[in-house]
Amino acid sequence: MSRVVVVCEGETEEEFVRDVLAPDFLGLGLYLEPQMVDTSPGHRGGALNYDRVKPHLRNTLRQKSAPVVTTLFDLYRLDKRFPGHGVTMAETGLAQKLEVLCAELHADVVAAAGCLPGRFIPYIQAHEFEALLFSDVPTLVQVESNWPRASAALTAARAAAESPEHINDRPETKPAAHLERELRNPNYRKRRHGPIAAQRIGLDKMEAECAFFAAWLAQIRKLAQT
């Protein structure tokens, strides 16, 4: 069994890795272990500070067990201290932004850890975790009994973008903003509803709709062949 540490943005992503991703990868002989970064004394996850992220990644890669390490961070409000951030935000295309950010992050962390390049797989989710839930709006709105009334508005938000991962990243139009605005009684709560919706939607649908996410999982699956 090969160990793959997934360093996550927050608690929702941690649960997503544990409850949705990890069971799917066990059959390949890959054990996905979610972790969160200490963001302040006694607190983990959220508002990632690169000054804390980098040492966490470096130290994990230096462990004697020599795990492969990957990340699950949001592009939305990514800390400006991440390598390549200034250059990347000038890029016009989403694919180019992610490519530059991940390449710069990879180079910086591998150099700090002194590890083999293949042991670190950087991934930044466009634009945030909630984008994955737009892979299947009809399933999403069935999570709570009053949510189907939001189906038309959420379907329109999805249809206006090239893919769920292209849904706008501004505060009022980011994926989570649509869900928080439209899903009522009960209101959408990321920690409560996100993992449940993700489980019901399933990886097959998410990978079919979200190309960047699918490419990341493909990289991890290749580890089973080595």
Side-chain angles (χ1 to χ4, degrees), residues 14-223:
E14 184 182 45
E15 290 184 30
F16 174 63
V17 172
R18 184 191 67 207
D19 298 338
V20 181
L21 296 187
D24 188 80
F25 282 81
L26 275 177
L28 297 176
L30 299 173
Y31 170 62
L32 269 59
E33 175 189 323
Q35 291 183 0
M36 285 193 296
V37 178
D38 291 332
T39 50
S40 62
H43 297 279
R44 298 183 307 146
L48 292 175
N49 180 322
Y50 190 64
D51 291 340
R52 292 181 180 272
V53 168
K54 182 177 177 178
H56 185 99
L57 295 173
R58 178 199 63 207
N59 295 342
T60 305
L61 285 162
R62 287 179 176 176
Q63 290 176 4
K64 292 182 178 179
S65 60
V68 172
V69 177
T70 187
T71 59
L72 179 52
F73 301 153
D74 290 348
L75 178 60
Y76 179 71
R77 296 188 70 180
L78 188 71
D79 182 14
K80 294 180 180 179
R81 284 166 288 193
F82 266 70
H85 188 283
V87 175
T88 303
M89 292 304 108
E91 296 286 347
T92 57
L94 179 57
Q96 292 91 334
K97 284 184 174 70
L98 296 174
E99 181 180 359
V100 172
L101 275 173
C102 288
E104 294 286 341
L105 178 59
H106 183 270
D108 194 50
V109 171
V110 167
C115 67
L116 293 173
R119 287 189 48 227
F120 180 51
I121 303 173
Y123 178 65
I124 297 172
Q125 177 62 51
H127 285 95
E128 57 183 354
F129 167 79
E130 277 83 359
L132 301 175
L133 306 185
F134 278 84
S135 298
D136 189 344
V137 170
T139 297
L140 168 62
V141 298
Q142 293 300 321
V143 170
E144 297 284 359
S145 60
N146 286 325
W147 285 7
R149 67 186 66 181
S151 181
L154 295 181
T155 298
R158 164 63 188 93
E162 181 179 334
S163 78
E165 294 176 306
H166 287 80
I167 293 176
N168 201 300
D169 65 340
R170 291 195 296 272
E172 69 277 10
T173 54
K174 64 177 182 170
H178 288 287
L179 301 186
E180 291 163 359
R181 183 167 52 248
E182 303 297 341
L183 299 177
R184 299 286 186 174
N185 300 316
N187 295 343
Y188 172 79
R189 293 289 181 265
K190 180 175 183 174
R191 177 84 190 279
R192 175 184 174 186
H193 296 110
I196 295 172
Q199 281 187 303
R200 294 188 184 184
I201 292 168
L203 289 182
D204 287 346
K205 189 66 174 178
M206 291 179 190
E207 291 183 73
E209 293 289 315
C210 301
F212 303 118
F213 177 72
W216 174 51
L217 296 192
Q219 284 184 280
I220 298 175
R221 291 189 180 106
K222 285 182 180 178
L223 299 172

